[in-house]
Amino acid sequence: RILALGDSVTVGLGVAAEETYARQLEALLGRSIAPLRVINAAVTCYSTWQEVDVLKETASAVRPDVVTLAFYW
């Protein structure tokens, strides 16, 4: 499992759900490696320290193998 964190870039503001980088990553890696899940837990307007809180809140339930963090600025 991959947990995607970040701001509106990761959320995919302005694009369809299938066009977000998290969904694209899931499709790409799922074809080349094995079926996997990318969970998009990003929140628009959040900063790094707020995403750390999201990670703390979700990590035990999601149990990700990899965490990505992407911000516009």
Side-chain angles (χ1 to χ4, degrees):
R1 262 180 249 175
I2 298 173
L3 179 64
L5 300 175
D7 62 3
S8 57
V9 170
T10 304
V11 167
L13 191 63
V15 301
E18 303 82 39
E19 296 175 344
T20 64
Y21 93 77
R23 190 67 63 86
Q24 293 290 314
L25 180 63
E26 183 176 80
L28 180 67
L29 293 178
R31 283 192 307 263
S32 64
I33 300 172
L36 60 83
R37 176 100 193 258
V38 178
I39 299 155
N40 192 342
V43 181
T44 300
C45 297
Y46 267 28
S47 64
T48 306
W49 64 270
Q50 290 165 308
E51 289 296 346
V52 169
D53 289 340
V54 172
L55 178 61
K56 289 177 183 176
E57 293 169 4
T58 60
S60 62
V62 173
R63 300 186 57 141
D65 300 297
V66 175
V67 176
T68 64
L69 181 62
F71 289 95
Y72 179 70
W73 288 104

